[in-house]
Amino acid sequence: MGAGIAAACREAGLDVVMIERDAEAAARGRANVHKVFAGGVKRGKLTPEDHAARMAGLAVSTDYASLSDADLVIEAVFEDIAVKRAVFDQLGRVCRADAVLATNTSYLDPRTIAEGLPGPERFIGLHFFSPAHVMKLLEIVPTPETAPEVLATGFALGRALNKVPVQAGICEGFIGNRILKRYRAEAEALLRDGVAIREVDAAMRGYGFRMG
């Protein structure tokens, strides 16, 4: 997810600093972004020069201090509240007081993630869908403390990334994953009734869900 978000931002011409927990993860993160753009070259959508230019604007580090001048930071670690809060504890220490701090959580309550964060008015949920450099929907989830200009920044970022930004309220799964939960439940009910997986998948694709 982090690599996909980084790739989407580089595609829009934004300089990106990707933070990973150790050198091995940093190398893997850079390789994942490289792979995204290499795929574009293979499909004829990017030239090798385009690939090199996009990678040139990506820095990868294990030091949170590298984010000290960032305008906006998007956390994209896995769905564990303790891990996410540890990340924001670090961000609260090193980032500028006016930097927008965003979480990419899919299900967790953003208010819980932001507990204790200095300047909670600059915090917002920006939920990308995987693969983040491809999928168009961007759910924007403000908390009660989110400042209007921070909400506007989320929408501006979505448009800059060529996404479809949609404001969502705070609830489990927000909008997209609540829909997913319902239609997946119905698909599973069909399987229990004996309908073949390939038939369910074909029906979903035929309806317009390209991933089946």
Side-chain angles (χ1 to χ4, degrees), residues 72 88 99-103 109-112 114 117-126 139-155 167-170:
L72 183 147
F88 280 99
V100 174
L101 304 182
T103 177
D109 188 329
R111 296 168 295 188
T112 306
L117 180 69
E121 69 281 352
R122 60 178 170 157
F123 178 85
I124 195 167
L126 295 177
E139 292 180 332
I140 299 178
V141 190
T143 69
E145 292 79 22
T146 300
E149 58 269 26
V150 172
L151 179 59
T153 297
F155 275 90
Q167 184 171 336
I170 297 176

Side-chain angles (χ1 to χ4, degrees), residues 7-14 128 136 138 140 152-165:
C9 290
R10 284 302 301 132
E11 192 70 36
L14 302 175
F128 292 76
K136 291 291 189 182
L138 174 61
I140 299 178
T153 297
F155 275 90
L157 176 67
R159 289 190 289 269
L161 300 185
N162 197 30
K163 304 295 185 187
V164 179

Side-chain angles (χ1 to χ4, degrees), residues 65-195:
S66 300
L67 301 175
S68 61
D69 196 41
D71 297 309
L72 183 147
V73 180
I74 303 171
E75 163 273 311
V77 301
F78 57 91
E79 293 287 273
D80 183 293
I81 189 66
V83 175
K84 287 184 181 290
R85 290 185 67 170
V87 168
F88 280 99
D89 180 63
Q90 292 282 354
L91 297 178
R93 296 171 190 269
V94 304
C95 291
R96 298 193 327 246
D98 63 340
V100 174
L101 304 182
T103 177
N104 181 57
T105 185
S106 303
Y107 285 97
L108 299 176
D109 188 329
R111 296 168 295 188
T112 306
I113 296 172
E115 282 182 9
L117 180 69
E121 69 281 352
R122 60 178 170 157
F123 178 85
I124 195 167
L126 295 177
H127 179 216
F128 292 76
F129 290 79
S130 185
H133 60 287
V134 175
M135 303 297 278
K136 291 291 189 182
L137 179 61
L138 174 61
E139 292 180 332
I140 299 178
V141 190
T143 69
E145 292 79 22
T146 300
E149 58 269 26
V150 172
L151 179 59
T153 297
F155 275 90
L157 176 67
R159 289 190 289 269
L161 300 185
N162 197 30
K163 304 295 185 187
V164 179
V166 177
Q167 184 171 336
I170 297 176
C171 55
E172 184 181 2
F174 308 125
I175 300 170
N177 282 333
R178 290 176 77 196
I179 296 171
L180 171 64
K181 182 178 180 179
R182 296 301 303 168
Y183 93 72
R184 182 185 174 101
E186 294 304 321
E188 291 171 350
L190 290 171
L191 299 187
R192 288 194 296 271
D193 287 343
V195 180

Side-chain angles (χ1 to χ4, degrees), residues 35-51:
K35 184 177 179 181
V36 168
F37 294 132
V41 173
K42 184 176 181 180
R43 293 190 300 274
K45 294 189 175 183
L46 297 176
T47 66
E49 293 76 18
D50 293 331
H51 181 288

